[in-house]
């Protein structure tokens, strides 16, 4: 690579793998960085949503009571709908979410209209008014749909994940000193330090990287490879019924019958599931003799994210259907999805996942920087490809965090009752991200790194201040009232700001210490590294 | 807080680093174990961490918790070794001492 003629002696397996690793990693790297960072943030998806609706502080009640309150509300607003969907609160989401689907219009062919979703107070069933926002859902959706129209975003994410998997395997083959270099990280040594950091972040969390990439691909495998199902089942519904069992989806009988209270059904379901709380309640044909109430099991605390459900008759309360014991394939799929989403994790494991996700982000980021650092020759002007990679690196690694901070800042700064504010928040993220990336192209390379990283530090440092100024849940107030969620966010913002500031300081250090730089220049460390025998093929 | 797998794992990884010629002088432990003993102790502690994870989380989630917390402990250790290597052995001992306390409460 890099212009050097490939001699037969140099074309070993490792060299080939290093070539694959460098180029596949580079091509997918920027998107992978964004997928890793926003995906990592998504481990706190419900928490981010809570943070982005600071006016909501509903009381915590048992799921059965919340379901009864929600049904009371829906009986008042839309008693004749086809379906009610009720998402019950748990320790991570404070409000009940509901939406309804109207009865299909017999004339129109379109599927029944979905009414807008809203939030209810779990205790009273009263409608909660809060600012319109996409919350943590935005980061989650972006990390596999990339804000590109369906299905192209998912396809692009899938291709990048396949590149990632290839890069992991080729990287392991390339890296011949996995155990000898296990704890090696040397600072301030240019290319060698970047290589150390890349290898350390990759090797130490290798089980996580391999797992998260593979399970991410598997999550959408039915979309990427639909043929096995197509070959064996006429309709997707037939496959779903065969794989997961099909709850009865009866038609309304037309005979009215009062809907029995759902609370006891939820308690009965929880008993069947060994005390696991139900997550979702779906009421079909309410107030009809053929009404059904389907209760879905929560995935919290279970490794498998596979859906389990029990269906009751809404008129008699009789148990009509229970999802069958999952077969090995369905169980495997459920565990894969569960491992990827991490819903099973309690707070400790969730933070573990979060830190591992950051390690993965660091691995991709250091890999991208390493590609550029390796090809930079002192004293010569960088070639076009290198300049492009440099700019894209700044635009992704330093500017995406600023964009994410802008999304959160926009949540606090856009008036709470403004129309279309949820879309404005999303726009704030992308305009700031891409706008800053474009502006950074106007600056000299080193200044671009320093300035964008400093901006990231400032943006995150400002978040707790803006939060304290625009809500009554600032850091001091939340520490005083024991509001761990809001205090946690403020502290996490400050830590992120510190890390970005540290990165900016490191990026700017040699220029601020001219004496030291002259001394180092006299020793010509870069040339020395170039002359040293290659430690492994990464550095070759 | 179920942090025992990570704490014991941190001690185990430190012990493994002590067994390596490259890191031994930097870590400068008060009590110098022979490399072979340090390696054996390290692997034994990693095994103990796995047992703690399974005890805390059950078999399936325990494996995820063990690997995950071990990775984070490794990342902390490598940053520590690159910054203040001498702090690693005493911190490993402290982590090991904290683990039973956490298990108790």
């Amino acid at each position: 690579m890099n212009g050097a003629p490939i001699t037969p002696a140099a074309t070993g397996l490792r060299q080939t793998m290093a070539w694959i690793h460098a180029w596949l990693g580079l091509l997918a790297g920027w998107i992978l960085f964004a997928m890793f960072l926003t995906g990592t943030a998504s481990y706190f998806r419900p928490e981010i949503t809570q943070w982005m609706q600071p006016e909501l502080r509903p009381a915590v009640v048992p799921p059965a009571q919340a379901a009864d309150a929600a049904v009371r509300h829906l009986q008042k607003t839309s008693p004749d709908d086809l379906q009610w969907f009720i998402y019950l609160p748990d320790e991570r989401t404070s409000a009940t979410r509901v939406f309804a689907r109207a009865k299909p219009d017999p004339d129109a062919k379109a599927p029944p209209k979905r009414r807008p979703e809203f939030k209810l107070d779990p205790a009273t069933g009263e409608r909660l008014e809060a600012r319109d926002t996409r919350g943590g859902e935005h980061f989650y959706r972006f990390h596999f749909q990339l804000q590109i129209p369906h299905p192209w975003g998912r396809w692009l994410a899938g291709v990048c994940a396949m590149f990632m998997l290839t890069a992991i395997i080729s990287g392991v083959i390339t890296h011949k000193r996995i155990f000898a270099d296990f704890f090696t990280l040397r600072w301030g040594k240019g290319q060698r330090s970047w290589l150390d950091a890349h290898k350390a972040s990759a090797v130490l969390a290798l089980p996580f990287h391999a797992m998260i990439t593979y399970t991410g691909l598997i999550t959408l495998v039915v979309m990427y490879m639909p043929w096995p199902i197509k070959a064996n089942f006429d309709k997707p519904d037939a496959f779903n019924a065969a794989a997961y069992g099909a709850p009865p989806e009866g038609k309304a009988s037309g005979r009215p019958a009062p809907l029995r209270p759902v609370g006891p059904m939820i308690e009965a379901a929880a008993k069947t599931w060994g005390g696991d709380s139900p997550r979702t309640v779906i009421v079909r044909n309410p107030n009809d003799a053929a009404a059904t109430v389907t209760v879905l099991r929560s995935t919290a605390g279970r490794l498998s994210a596979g859906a389990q459900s029990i269906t009751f008759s809404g008129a008699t309360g009789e148990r009509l259907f229970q999802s069958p014991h999952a077969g090995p394939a369905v169980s495997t799929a459920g565990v894969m999805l569960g491992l990827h989403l991490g819903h099973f994790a309690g707070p400790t494991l969730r933070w573990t996942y979060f830190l591992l996700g950051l390690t993965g982000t660091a691995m991709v980021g250091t890999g991208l920087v390493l590609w550029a650092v390796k090809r930079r020759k002192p004293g010569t002007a960088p070639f076009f490809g290198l300049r492009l990679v440099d700019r894209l690196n700044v635009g992704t690694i330093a500017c995406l965090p600023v964009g994410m901070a802008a999304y959160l800042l926009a949540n606090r700064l856009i008036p709470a009752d403004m129309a279309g504010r949820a879309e404005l928040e999303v726009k704030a993220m992308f305009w700031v991200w891409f706008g800053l990336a474009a502006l950074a192209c106007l600056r000299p390379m080193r200044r671009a790194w320093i300035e964008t990283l400093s901006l990231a530090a400032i943006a995150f440092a400002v978040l707790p201040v803006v939060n304290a100024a625009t809500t009554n849940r600032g850091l001091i107030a939340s520490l005083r009232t024991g509001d761990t969620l809001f205090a946690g966010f403020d502290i996490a913002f400050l830590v992120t700001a510190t890390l970005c500031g540290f990165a900016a300081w490191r990026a700017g250090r040699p220029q601020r210490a001219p004496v030291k730089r002259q001394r180092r220049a006299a020793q010509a460390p870069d040339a020395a590294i170039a002359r040293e025998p290659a430690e492994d093929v990464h550095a070759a | 807080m179920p942090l025992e797998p990570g704490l014991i794992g941190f001690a185990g990884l430190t012990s493994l680093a002590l067994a390596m010629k490259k890191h031994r002088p930097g870590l400068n432990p008060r009590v110098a174990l022979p490399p072979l003993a340090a390696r054996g102790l390290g692997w034994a502690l990693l095994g103990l961490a796995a047992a703690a994870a399974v005890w805390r989380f059950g078999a399936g989630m325990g494996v995820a918790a063990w690997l995950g917390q071990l990775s984070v402990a490794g990342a902390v250790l490598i940053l520590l070794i690159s910054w203040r290597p001498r702090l690693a052995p005493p911190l490993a001992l402290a982590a090991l001492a904290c683990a039973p306390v956490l298990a108790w409460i």
Side-chain angles (χ1 to χ4, degrees):
Chain A
M1 91 195 93
N2 200 13
I6 295 174
T7 57
T11 52
L13 176 69
R14 283 219 167 87
Q15 272 77 8
T16 319
M17 287 295 156
W19 189 90
I20 291 176
H21 185 80
W23 288 99
L24 287 192
L26 179 77
L27 274 181
W30 300 290
I31 295 176
L32 283 172
F33 185 87
M35 286 167 72
F36 256 101
L37 192 57
T38 51
T40 302
S42 303
Y43 286 129
F44 291 104
R45 174 158 52 135
E47 285 82 6
I48 293 175
T49 308
Q50 276 200 55
W51 186 86
M52 292 179 83
Q53 292 188 318
E55 49 277 84
L56 295 185
R57 310 177 87 156
V60 180
V61 300
Q65 192 188 336
D68 276 332
V71 166
R72 271 202 308 278
H73 177 90
L74 287 161
Q75 287 284 24
K76 266 186 278 174
T77 53
S78 56
D80 300 321
D81 272 345
L82 176 69
Q83 271 174 317
W84 295 338
F85 291 83
I86 304 168
Y87 298 94
L88 298 170
D90 55 20
E91 59 268 31
R92 301 182 64 196
T93 48
S94 53
T96 312
R97 287 188 300 130
V98 296
F99 74 89
R101 216 181 270 279
K103 281 223 168 67
D105 195 342
D107 303 328
K109 277 189 182 161
K113 215 176 88 194
R114 186 192 150 137
R115 295 187 199 277
E117 180 183 302
F118 46 89
K119 293 190 172 183
L120 300 178
D121 188 311
T124 63
E126 293 300 312
R127 191 163 166 176
L128 291 170
E129 293 301 336
R131 62 188 68 194
D132 189 18
T133 179
R134 300 204 54 210
E137 192 71 14
H138 168 60
F139 291 143
Y140 173 69
R141 291 278 155 190
F142 176 78
H143 108 275
F144 64 97
Q145 296 178 336
L146 305 169
Q147 206 72 10
I148 298 173
H150 189 72
W152 305 112
R154 289 182 182 205
W155 269 106
L156 184 58
V159 169
C160 289
M162 287 174 221
F163 277 31
M164 176 85 203
L165 204 56
T166 318
I168 288 177
I169 294 165
S170 57
V172 169
I173 297 172
T174 306
H175 183 9
K176 61 181 172 195
R177 291 155 52 98
I178 289 185
F179 291 103
D181 284 348
F182 204 82
F183 298 110
T184 305
L185 178 61
R186 290 157 291 191
W187 290 80
K189 291 194 170 166
Q191 180 183 330
R192 174 159 302 167
S193 296
W194 286 109
L195 182 58
D196 278 351
H198 183 56
K199 291 195 290 195
S201 52
V203 169
L204 278 169
L206 188 63
F208 174 81
H209 302 327
M211 177 280 283
I212 211 72
T213 310
Y214 185 68
T215 55
L217 264 175
I218 289 295
T219 302
L220 293 177
V221 76
V222 177
M223 179 189 154
Y224 300 138
M225 295 164 80
W227 312 290
I229 292 175
K230 269 192 183 156
N232 289 295
F233 297 92
D234 297 333
K235 283 180 188 159
D237 286 350
F239 166 74
N240 286 335
Y244 305 105
E249 285 217 331
K251 285 209 166 69
S253 66
R255 280 179 290 117
L259 183 70
R260 289 177 72 90
V262 294
M265 302 180 197
I266 284 172
E267 277 157 9
K271 210 181 229 172
T272 310
W273 292 325
D276 270 9
S277 62
R279 173 192 55 179
T280 313
V281 181
I282 303 165
V283 182
R284 198 176 161 85
N285 301 313
N287 307 313
D288 185 279
T292 56
V293 178
T294 302
V295 181
L296 269 66
R297 185 179 183 176
S298 163
T299 52
R302 286 190 304 135
L303 205 51
S304 169
Q308 287 186 20
S309 67
I310 298 177
T311 302
F312 300 90
S313 158
T316 65
E318 179 196 354
R319 199 179 282 219
L320 300 175
F321 170 84
Q322 181 167 353
S323 58
H325 192 73
V330 171
S331 303
T332 309
V335 169
M336 294 257 184
L337 180 60
L339 275 175
H340 191 87
L341 293 171
H343 286 170
F344 65 87
T348 310
L349 274 190
R350 194 171 314 125
W351 276 99
T352 307
Y353 253 69
F354 178 76
L355 293 174
L356 290 171
L358 288 184
T359 315
T361 315
M363 167 183 70
V364 179
T366 52
L368 284 170
V369 173
L370 179 61
W371 191 98
V373 169
K374 235 163 84 173
R375 283 159 183 80
R376 201 171 291 140
K377 292 205 175 65
T380 55
F383 55 98
F384 171 74
L386 181 55
R387 286 206 305 263
L388 181 71
V389 169
D390 269 335
R391 293 301 171 183
L392 284 168
N393 281 354
V394 174
T396 314
I397 297 169
C399 297
L400 170 60
V402 188
M404 290 171 78
Y407 176 66
L408 300 172
L409 277 172
N411 176 266
R412 290 293 189 263
L413 295 175
I414 297 173
D417 49 1
M418 194 168 153
R421 69 183 305 292
E423 287 73 42
L424 273 181
E425 285 175 9
V426 173
K427 275 185 186 154
M429 168 166 153
F430 290 108
W431 278 102
V432 168
W433 176 12
F434 296 139
L436 189 62
L439 275 181
C441 290
L442 302 176
R443 304 290 292 148
M445 208 42 227
R446 188 182 284 276
R447 295 301 309 166
W449 275 115
I450 301 169
E451 285 158 14
T452 48
L453 285 169
S454 307
L455 260 178
I458 293 166
F460 278 101
V462 157
L463 266 166
V465 181
V466 172
N467 177 48
T470 54
T471 69
N472 55 5
R473 301 175 80 172
L475 182 56
I476 293 160
S478 48
L479 282 177
R480 200 175 282 156
T481 55
D483 185 348
T484 46
L485 185 108
F486 268 64
F489 267 93
D490 278 340
I491 292 167
F493 291 147
L494 292 175
V495 170
T496 313
T498 312
L499 287 176
C500 292
F502 176 72
W505 173 69
R506 292 288 305 192
R509 218 172 43 143
Q511 280 193 335
R512 275 193 222 153
V515 182
K516 203 174 169 188
R517 197 182 172 209
Q518 274 166 14
R519 206 183 66 222
R520 282 176 65 200
Q523 291 169 348
D526 291 7
I529 285 172
R531 273 199 306 277
E532 266 175 42
E535 190 180 331
D536 70 22
V537 259
H538 259 306
Chain B
M1 247 194 314
L3 277 175
E4 303 90 348
L7 292 172
I8 302 172
F10 181 80
L13 290 172
T14 310
S15 189
L16 285 180
L18 274 175
M20 293 168 78
K21 220 204 240 161
K22 196 181 203 171
H23 301 294
R24 209 176 163 74
L27 292 170
N28 194 18
R30 191 85 46 90
V31 188
L33 281 176
L36 210 62
R39 179 165 301 162
L41 179 66
W43 282 109
L45 285 172
L46 294 193
L48 186 63
V54 170
W55 168 69
R56 270 288 202 181
F57 295 95
M61 234 181 273
V63 174
W66 178 59
L67 286 174
Q69 294 200 9
L70 217 53
S71 297
V72 174
V76 172
L77 179 62
I78 197 171
L79 287 172
L80 195 63
I81 288 182
S82 76
W83 179 58
R84 294 277 186 276
R86 281 178 189 206
L87 282 180
L91 277 179
L93 280 178
L96 208 54
C98 278
V101 179
L102 271 182
W104 194 261
I105 49 175

